[in-house]
Amino acid sequence: MGRYIVKRLISAIPVLFGITLIVFLIMAMIPGDPATAILGSYATPENVAKLNRDLGLDAPLWQRYFIWLGNMLTGDFGQSFALNRPVLDEVLERFQATLILAGTAFVLCSVFGIIAGVISAANQYGFADKAITFVVLLGISIPSFFLGMMMILWFSVNLRWFPVSGMWPIYGDRDLGALLSHLTLPAIALAVVATGVVARLSRSAMLEVLRQDYIRTARAKGVHERGVIWRHALRAAMVSIIPVLGIQAGFVLSGAVYIEIVFQWPGVGRMLVDAILTRDILLVQGGVVFVAACYVLFNIAVDVAQSLLDPRIKT
Amino acid sequence: MTAFLTLLARNRLALAGLVVMTVVVVLALITPLLPLADPDVTDTGNRFVPPLSPGAWLGTDHLGRDLLSRLLWGTRLSLAVGFAAAVAAATIGAAIGMIAGFYGGRVDNIIMRAVDMLMAFPYILLALAIVAALGPGLINALIAVAAVNVPFFARNIRGITVGIANKEFVDAARLSGLSNARIILTEVLPNVVPVIVIAMSTTIGWMILETAGLSFLGLGSQPPQADLGSMLGEARSALITNPHTSVVPGLMILVIVMAINLLGDGVRDALDPRLKSGALSRPMAATRVDRRSPVPPAQDAAAVLDIAGLQTQFHIKDRVYRAVGGVSLSVKPGECLGIIGESGSGKSVTALSIMGLVASPPGVITGGAARLHGDDLIGMPYRQLRDLRGRAVSYIFQDPQATLHPLYTVGDQLIEAIRAHRPISVKAGRARAVELLKAVRIPNAASRIGNYPHEMSGGMRQRVGIAMALANEPQIIIADEPTTALDVTVQAQILALLDDLRRSRGLAIVFITHDFGVVGQLCDRVAVMYAGKIVEAGPTRAVLDAPMHPYTARLIDCVPELGGGKRRLEAIPGLPPVVDKLPHGCAFADRCDRVQGLCRAGTVALEHTGNRAVRCHFPVNERQAAE
């Protein structure tokens, strides 16, 4: 197992390089003089020249890439202009908030998605199946940012069950209870679409598995139906559900951008949008590379989980 | 195409989606012609007019602009941008995919590596990076959304193209000296266009949502122009005081995306042939029982298992397949009964019907009884039936590769079989499992118990299958072609093992096979099935020596004999009838060389003479059999 993990990590290295290259090339598309773009059109020529030197922008493209890459490998993601602090510090701090939000949403969508899918498949064409299918359809059709706004309107403003926005109370303790009450709405709003997708996929994976011969064997042994569904069928269906969970993690991470805006959550997504609007290019670059790298590593974890679950995968 | 449309029309939800989508698209198209207020003219004197006000049906927004007008113009813009992004992504993605798939080799490798890299990003990060580089704006958002979706199309189309690039017509085009570009355009493209269109129809909803999302973030359309996303984004600051300005564009996005999803599901269902046949139905815990005729009485009071007039059908759409058409059999304690027939003769369905293991839907038991010591198993409450499964009656199935759970060790599966019926600890269960593996002569049973099925040979796996069947010392074992998937030497070992177990434990065995050689080795009596009915039954030796039904005779002729010298193997010409179109008279008539007019006149009854029975007007070996 250890060797398998190392192997997967090594295979991720070219992907990580590819990510930096793609981000770098996209950023190289910035029309005109990047320094002017960053500083705005009122910048003095001296400042533009200085910034160009500071950024190494007077060097040729490929050299700039390797300078940037080398700096990142030593932990230097550059300096954010708008915030006037190291990019990495800002990204790490913001990513923590995103991780809490997206992580909770990911757990919610995995657990409820799978449960809904299994119940739906086990009662195929029954009332529960139809009800779940309808709710799932609604869930995957509603834009998460709209859902978030409606949840604020209903649960925070009308019912006053939860705070309207933010991660922590402005006054008061930063304890777990405060965090949970702030986290509930955004985590649910973020999880809804992914839950729908996971539920759909779990349902069809279960239907596929329930037709297999070994399910009939389990029934022929006299295993009760609960055991057949949850122990035999779900275990086998997980093999095709887990890769989808990996993909959903990407969707949850993406959706977090909207939810962070709607709920004023101090995460990396809101940071990116602000950075784009203030043209804080290094912060965008650093943030995107960092989050994408985390996502790649997460998907390795998914692969490892998959190999633990399925003894047929050679590790 | 018409068939496809009727299928789509049959799906009411998809039809609803189509209708809604049509209405939305038509409204968007005729928006410039409608008598609407100018969407961008501000009137700060009339800010936040509530909906249903005169002159402003949906009210006005924070700048006093008419919401209905802005909604329709915004919808128009959102649809246009989403559609444009889909077309752009599909075109570029398909071009890349076709080039990669067509040229293969290093070109393919490099392109697909790049595609993989792009797919390693959570999609929005890539879109944000592109917008960051190009600057906020609707066109830039469109480019970002299209670019993010290019890899998806490239990968799909590449897969299809690889399949096409090796087809004969492409080779022919190459040989005729056409340039590669020409071949791609004239031979490959027409074949991938349907796939492109389908992929586009399933992703267009996403594209609309994604561009709306970027606009919502303030990175897409810029004021005063607004698509649905930026309308929602602008309304957010007034969410609490004037929610209608948020609800109006938000609901519109929901309606559009939902309609597209419904339509997409409908298209997918219409195109997926598996859904049509009902093959994706989940089998229920027990076969559905719907007996329309009175339950026939038991025939043999001494039998462990007594099947009387069993009928099992498959109901698929409006067709009815009569897989088992009234089968009566009985097995005494310690006896081995063989059921023999070709594939599709109904022998396996008969066996599975006994404990309600026929997949249902589509299977339905429509008549007859199967009595275990006098208790009818057909229609028995599920709880009781489950208790008997594996305890009183157990099964051995054909292919142990498919019938053992691939993700549990054989030990766990054995322990589960034991614990399903006995409240013993896992530890005691483990000891018993080792015992069982020893009983079926698996060497190193104690260490084998931790193996997964894929770590064992076919013969070993089938021994596990037998051990599992023995786990609770059943009175009867139903073996459904247990040796068919094994090679000949292993087959002989398994048969010897079953025979031993039967003699030492007094087991009754129902042995289903298509091989008379196997029947001869193991079975006391044999029943021959054809097209869902028993055509001949009797003691094995007697039937083998002097078959009475022409079909039995032909089947026996199919068995090659070792050292029997040169003999022509007589294959039976023709195929068994399809069981949803059974002929009026004898089902074997069309393949029989003794057929006469009477055979097709009406149902042929199973005639009993002594311990033999045959369903034929003109049996062979009649004299011999009577002796």
Side-chain angles (χ1 to χ4, degrees), chain B residues 310-431:
Chain B
L310 182 72
Q311 294 181 37
T312 305
Q313 305 178 341
F314 292 104
H315 294 181
I316 297 170
K317 283 271 157 93
D318 26 342
R319 298 172 83 171
V320 173
Y321 297 82
R322 292 183 175 78
V324 180
V327 163
S328 301
L329 290 166
S330 68
V331 196
K332 292 185 185 59
E335 187 182 39
C336 179
L337 169 73
I339 303 180
I340 190 166
E342 288 169 281
S343 328
S345 61
K347 56 193 193 306
S348 285
V349 179
T350 304
L352 292 172
S353 297
I354 298 168
M355 295 310 279
L357 291 171
V358 177
S360 173
V364 189
I365 297 175
T366 52
R371 291 184 179 82
L372 182 73
H373 293 301
D375 297 330
D376 192 0
L377 298 164
I378 310 294
M380 179 180 267
Y382 169 69
R383 190 179 288 268
Q384 259 172 286
L385 186 66
R386 178 181 78 73
D387 181 57
L388 292 173
R389 284 178 179 176
R391 189 172 63 81
V393 181
S394 51
Y395 281 85
I396 303 169
F397 295 108
Q398 179 175 348
D399 178 9
Q401 170 82 57
T403 52
L404 292 177
H405 198 294
L407 305 178
Y408 287 107
T409 61
V410 296
D412 285 346
Q413 298 189 51
L414 277 169
I415 295 167
E416 186 189 33
I418 302 161
R419 280 169 40 102
H421 297 289
R422 274 187 263 180
I424 59 169
S425 69
V426 175
K427 205 175 159 213
R430 182 168 300 271

Side-chain angles (χ1 to χ4, degrees), chain B residues 216-538:
Chain B
F216 174 79
L217 297 175
L219 306 176
S221 72
Q222 301 295 315
Q225 190 191 43
D227 68 355
L228 294 172
S230 56
M231 278 178 78
L232 197 54
E234 285 173 24
R236 199 166 63 84
S237 50
L239 171 66
I240 294 168
T241 50
N242 290 283
H244 72 273
T245 53
S246 304
V247 172
V248 166
L251 279 184
M252 193 62 182
I253 303 178
L254 173 62
V255 165
I256 292 175
V257 177
M258 188 144 166
I260 292 178
N261 280 339
L262 280 173
L263 194 56
D265 289 357
V267 170
R268 199 197 50 206
D269 290 0
L271 292 175
D272 193 338
R274 286 191 306 175
L275 291 160
K276 274 183 243 170
S277 63
L280 267 184
S281 288
R282 127 206 179 33
M284 293 190 293
T287 312
R288 193 157 74 85
V289 176
D290 181 13
R291 281 187 285 202
R292 285 155 200 178
S293 46
V295 179
Q299 303 170 310
D300 186 348
V304 200
L305 180 71
D306 183 278
I307 302 172
L310 182 72
Q311 294 181 37
T312 305
Q313 305 178 341
F314 292 104
H315 294 181
I316 297 170
K317 283 271 157 93
D318 26 342
R319 298 172 83 171
V320 173
Y321 297 82
R322 292 183 175 78
V324 180
V327 163
S328 301
L329 290 166
S330 68
V331 196
K332 292 185 185 59
E335 187 182 39
C336 179
L337 169 73
I339 303 180
I340 190 166
E342 288 169 281
S343 328
S345 61
K347 56 193 193 306
S348 285
V349 179
T350 304
L352 292 172
S353 297
I354 298 168
M355 295 310 279
L357 291 171
V358 177
S360 173
V364 189
I365 297 175
T366 52
R371 291 184 179 82
L372 182 73
H373 293 301
D375 297 330
D376 192 0
L377 298 164
I378 310 294
M380 179 180 267
Y382 169 69
R383 190 179 288 268
Q384 259 172 286
L385 186 66
R386 178 181 78 73
D387 181 57
L388 292 173
R389 284 178 179 176
R391 189 172 63 81
V393 181
S394 51
Y395 281 85
I396 303 169
F397 295 108
Q398 179 175 348
D399 178 9
Q401 170 82 57
T403 52
L404 292 177
H405 198 294
L407 305 178
Y408 287 107
T409 61
V410 296
D412 285 346
Q413 298 189 51
L414 277 169
I415 295 167
E416 186 189 33
I418 302 161
R419 280 169 40 102
H421 297 289
R422 274 187 263 180
I424 59 169
S425 69
V426 175
K427 205 175 159 213
R430 182 168 300 271
R432 169 89 181 119
V434 174
E435 240 173 73
L436 284 167
L437 287 185
K438 281 183 184 149
V440 293
R441 294 175 210 147
I442 288 186
N444 305 324
S447 66
R448 281 302 212 166
I449 209 161
N451 282 159
Y452 287 96
H454 71 276
E455 295 167 332
M456 296 182 133
S457 68
M460 282 298 154
R461 276 196 291 260
Q462 193 56 293
R463 283 167 198 265
V464 173
I466 296 173
M468 211 144 78
L470 293 173
N472 294 293
E473 280 155 10
Q475 292 138 14
I476 177 161
I477 286 185
I478 298 169
D480 186 2
E481 306 209 33
T483 56
T484 307
L486 307 175
D487 65 50
V488 185
T489 44
V490 182
Q491 180 174 329
Q493 292 167 7
I494 297 285
L495 289 178
L497 174 66
L498 276 175
D499 202 37
D500 274 5
L501 291 168
R502 168 167 81 104
R503 289 181 204 290
S504 60
R505 300 180 185 221
L507 271 172
I509 295 180
V510 175
F511 197 96
I512 290 133
T513 179
H514 59 251
D515 184 350
F516 251 117
V518 173
V519 170
Q521 277 179 54
L522 195 66
C523 301
D524 306 308
R525 281 190 306 128
V526 62
V528 184
M529 277 190 77
Y530 188 79
K533 287 185 172 150
I534 292 176
V535 292
E536 177 162 7

